[in-house]
Amino acid sequence: MADDVLPSHPHAGEPVFDLHLGGKMATVPTADVSTRDQLSLAYTPGVAEVCEAIAADPEMTRHYTWVPNTVAIVTDGTAVLGLGDIGPAAAMPVMEGKAVLFKQFGGVDGIPICLATTDVEEIIETVVRLAPSFGGINLEDISAPRCFEIEDRLKEALDIPVFHDDQHGTAVVTLAALSNALKLTGRTPESTRVVISGAGAAGVAIAKILLAAGIKDIAVTDRKGVVSSDRTDLTSAKKALAELTADQCGRRGTLADAFDGADVYIGVSGGTVPEEVVATMADDAIIFAMANPNPEVHPDVAHRHARVVATGRSDFPNQINNVLAFPGIFRGAFDVHASAITEGMKVAAADALAALVGEDLSEDLVIPSPFDPRVGPAVAAAVADAARRDGVARI
């Protein structure tokens, strides 16, 4: 933004505010309209021919508009990063950032949409009405358990990909890193015991993708302990989660009970796990403490009791970062004009990420860097292939 438009601002001189001055994105035309002939083709009268072609065959939208390469980034501002319910206006810098990441790492155009409602019905109705303008919907920072119903109903209502990144992006990258960590420690999915702290959006999605990957012994915990059906305080979402996880392997009790002898800990909850509890894990343990900015188990503590340690932070090795997943997932879905994002596509994305580590696999490298130029194309190709296998590709 030009200095003569905004000569100063309240936080001038502070690098993070200086970077955000005027926002982090803008629309840029791809058509040159600097001559009369070009203007006539790009707008009236020429554009009318394209409009008539689309009216006659809506599939022409795929060829002659930006819609199939554009994702709506939708939030209500109720679960923004680690900040919680800060509202739609305060959520905009995060949604702009998400759009920048879509473009940088996937070549996908993202449009931030911050809704001034937290009502489930209003959110669903609004997104459905907006859907003709987009090739896909990325739900972002919507609190649980509302996010589950919103995603499920939008997937039923729309024939374009709907993806809640807080759930599935986190789950994909977690599975990729865990697959390599299991290989490094000589474990198989079937013989691995996992504890997940946090029964919100990310915890539920991680549990489901680990089950799909063959891990059978999973205990998910919340503030009151293991989410199991012997408890009388469970919501319907947690009841369903209990039936898939702890009920299958007989786990119950406190977080400490779940930790005792566990092979893997995955934290998506915040809070702090006492070191004496961490010390009860199995030999060659795996700890993914992903709360930001403060991991549930600080890496210094984790390394005293685990062989492989990952966090959500960029200043430690093995960052579990959603940017490894969502740009490539949408790129792959858009490349084949997919009608949905399936579980098979998510697992394929995780497998592709894990494979990129290859022979460089080590305790400090179980997941590739977000800046590895192979990441986006590899994920996109794997997702496109999986879409064809799962029957949701339209080209």
Side-chain angles (χ1 to χ4, degrees), residues 171-195:
V172 165
V173 184
T174 300
L175 175 58
L178 184 58
S179 297
N180 278 332
L182 295 181
K183 183 186 300 183
L184 192 64
T185 58
R187 293 181 168 95
T188 63
E190 296 78 13
S191 64
T192 298
R193 235 189 91 198
V194 177
V195 178

Side-chain angles (χ1 to χ4, degrees), residues 97-109 323 326-327 370-371 376:
K98 204 79 175 185
V100 170
L101 298 178
F102 265 114
K103 191 67 172 181
Q104 179 72 26
F105 295 104
V108 171
D109 294 302
V323 75
F326 68 83
F371 300 104

Side-chain angles (χ1 to χ4, degrees), residues 25-102:
M25 58 182 291
T27 57
V28 178
T30 60
D32 186 358
V33 291
S34 57
T35 70
R36 179 176 297 189
D37 287 346
Q38 290 167 334
L39 181 59
S40 296
L41 291 173
Y43 201 54
T44 186
V47 73
E49 293 184 40
V50 180
C51 294
E52 290 174 338
I54 293 172
D57 181 4
E59 276 295 301
M60 292 297 100
T61 300
R62 177 162 58 88
H63 298 290
Y64 300 117
T65 74
W66 81 330
V67 167
N69 194 59
T70 305
V71 60
I73 306 167
V74 179
T75 189
D76 62 0
T78 54
V80 181
L81 296 177
L83 303 174
D85 186 355
I86 60 174
M92 180 57 82
V94 178
M95 302 309 117
E96 286 184 5
K98 204 79 175 185
V100 170
L101 298 178
F102 265 114

Side-chain angles (χ1 to χ4, degrees), residues 255-310:
L255 176 66
D257 293 330
F259 255 84
D260 191 9
D263 301 297
V264 178
Y265 166 67
I266 298 171
V268 283
S269 63
T272 301
V273 181
E275 182 169 1
E276 59 269 24
V277 173
V278 177
T280 67
M281 294 182 72
D283 292 340
D284 281 346
I286 299 164
I287 294 178
F288 292 179
M290 298 190 291
N292 268 318
N294 300 310
E296 295 89 346
V297 183
H298 191 278
D300 292 344
V301 173
H303 278 296
R304 289 199 284 268
H305 306 284
R307 184 171 172 190
V308 181
V309 177

Side-chain angles (χ1 to χ4, degrees), residues 355-388:
L356 288 177
V357 174
E359 295 181 358
D360 294 326
L361 179 62
S362 69
E363 285 80 357
D364 286 340
L365 186 58
V366 296
I367 193 75
S369 163
F371 300 104
D372 184 332
R374 302 173 300 163
V375 166
V379 171
V383 167
D385 287 345
R388 295 185 184 98

